[in-house]
Amino acid sequence: MIRAVITGTGSALPARRVSNAELAETVDTSDEWIVERTGIRFRHIAGPEETTATLGADAAKAALAAAGVVARDIDLIVLATATPDQTFPSSATKVQHLLGIDDCVAFDVAAVCSGFLYAVQVADSMIRAGSARRALVIGSETFSRILDWEDRATCVLFGDGAGAIVIEAQESDVQHGRGVLATRLHADGRHNELLYVDGGPSTTGTVGKVRMRGREVFRHAVVNLATVLEETLAAAGLSVADIDWVVPHQANARILDATARKLGLGADKVVVTVDQHANTSAASVPLALDTAVRDGRIEQGDLVVLEAMGGGFTWGAAAVRF
Ligand code: UT7
């Protein structure tokens, strides 16, 4: 059967890396509070020349090189972001231009921290339907630009960055073949007010800043992530025992621990980068994936489960044979 197979990963981070101690010089917080409550130690913050599109293009170039694919062979770009360079055109078309691709399908997906999972399902569906053969799926964010730097409850949590995959149509064995095996997505707009941005083109005419009721988001995250992960495994005919690696959205180390405990999954199977990158929203899953591929943890043939939850609420998971 034809499946969408991940053939390369890449990532990009802004040059400037900011420690908790450096943040504590301007925000009423401490390294101790941030590490204990979140596990975060560092985040990267974009400089004036670094944008969602430039970071996304750099991550894409690294993924193309890893896959051994040239940019003109890409026929689809799906870019997940909540922080586009401009309201329009899409950041996907900006990445397309930066990569020197003259013609392909390119668009953005907005599902905040779950955006990469939404983008993977879109690309997987288009590849299996035959409307794309070789896609770039990118998560890229510059959340530093929509943070309220006077709100210590949110500004310490987020960072900037980008991750990308090349995903291609390949013949795959039904039982043991490589590729995206199953995806599951959800949204529940009743929770808009727990995590949102207080502005937008059609309301205030401004970009707005991130607002979050952290404790409530935390509670929903653990339940939703454990449920969607089990649902996705069941759809692929697999169980928690089959998992080699979980690559979760990196919001809070305590959410990662609590979700793993709820599933009966060993902490040694969870890829954790939140300490180094903080929460990079739609970029966090592909950034963590690329980290674990490049350091040799994730190998060809491994069963990898990607999962995320974010504003909306939105949440989702994907089971992938690497
Ligand atoms: O990416 C989308 C998904 N997002 C998430 O999953 C985020 C989920 N939520 C969380 O990760 C956690 O709820 C937070 C890390 C945001 C907060 O942790 P918490 O343990 O839920 O703390 P809290 O919000 O209940 O605040 C506890 C205390 C408060 O002080 P009082 O009222 O107890 O005196 C806060 O004012 O910690 C205080 N506080 C801080 N203190 C030092 C809040 N932020 C800070 C800070 N530094 N940065």
Side-chain angles (χ1 to χ4, degrees):
M1 66 188 292
I2 294 292
R3 283 204 180 103
V5 175
I6 297 176
T7 55
T9 67
S11 58
L13 290 161
R16 184 167 167 236
R17 185 175 186 244
V18 177
S19 69
N20 293 342
E22 189 180 339
L23 265 191
E25 288 170 15
T26 51
V27 180
D28 179 18
T29 189
S30 65
D31 177 54
E32 195 187 7
W33 190 94
I34 301 172
V35 171
E36 190 187 310
R37 300 293 178 118
T38 72
I40 296 165
R41 293 178 187 277
F42 299 95
R43 75 283 294 139
H44 289 251
I45 303 289
E49 306 299 319
E50 292 166 322
T51 71
T52 291
T54 66
L55 291 166
D58 287 347
K61 284 177 193 162
L64 288 168
V69 166
V70 292
R72 68 173 177 278
D73 289 340
I74 293 296
D75 55 12
L76 169 67
I77 300 174
V78 189
L79 187 147
T81 191
T83 49
D85 284 24
Q86 293 156 259
T87 304
F88 77 83
S90 68
S91 296
T93 60
K94 289 180 171 283
V95 168
Q96 179 200 24
H97 181 59
L98 289 168
L99 295 176
I101 305 172
D102 293 338
D103 186 17
C104 72
V105 177
F107 58 94
D108 289 358
V109 162
V112 208
C113 300
S114 315
F116 187 74
L117 272 302
Y118 271 68
V120 165
Q121 193 187 77
V122 169
D124 174 49
S125 303
M126 288 179 71
I127 285 170
R128 284 187 297 106
S131 47
R133 285 203 59 78
R134 193 172 281 129
L136 269 168
V137 180
I138 303 166
S140 186
E141 301 276 18
T142 44
F143 252 57
S144 63
R145 308 250 158 84
I146 57 164
L147 293 174
D148 175 353
W149 286 99
E150 310 217 314
D151 176 14
R152 66 176 184 174
T154 52
C155 74
V156 305
L157 304 175
F158 294 91
D160 301 333
I165 58 173
V166 173
I167 187 165
E168 317 185 28
Q170 282 187 8
E171 191 60 45
S172 170
D173 179 72
V174 175
Q175 284 286 330
H176 306 290
R178 298 177 68 196
V180 177
L181 307 180
T183 57
R184 284 292 180 273
L185 300 176
H186 294 276
D188 183 351
R190 287 174 299 174
H191 303 298
N192 277 186
E193 298 299 316
L194 296 182
L195 176 51
Y196 66 102
V197 165
D198 63 3
S202 183
T203 50
T204 58
T206 62
V207 172
K209 301 288 181 202
V210 174
R211 306 291 170 207
M212 175 164 73
R213 299 213 325 246
R215 208 174 274 182
E216 279 120 300
V217 178
F218 190 109
R219 199 164 43 80
H220 280 89
V222 175
V223 176
N224 290 343
L225 289 172
T227 308
V228 74
L229 198 146
E230 283 177 328
E231 196 187 341
T232 306
L233 284 174
L238 298 165
S239 70
V240 170
D242 295 314
I243 295 176
D244 292 301
W245 293 103
V246 174
V247 183
H249 172 48
Q250 310 283 323
N252 186 321
R254 289 188 295 139
I255 295 179
L256 306 187
D257 291 345
T259 310
R261 258 200 315 277
K262 203 167 181 352
L263 290 162
L265 184 82
D268 57 338
K269 298 202 163 185
V270 182
V271 175
V272 180
T273 54
V274 66
D275 55 331
Q276 298 299 314
H277 305 152
N279 181 347
T280 56
S281 185
S284 99
V285 169
L287 252 170
L289 179 67
D290 186 50
T291 302
V293 167
R294 282 176 195 269
D295 68 21
R297 276 180 286 175
I298 294 178
E299 294 178 307
Q300 198 166 314
D302 283 354
L303 179 73
V304 180
V305 179
L306 317 175
E307 46 101 320
M309 136 106 194
F313 291 145
T314 56
W315 64 104
V320 183
R321 178 76 60 196
F322 225 74

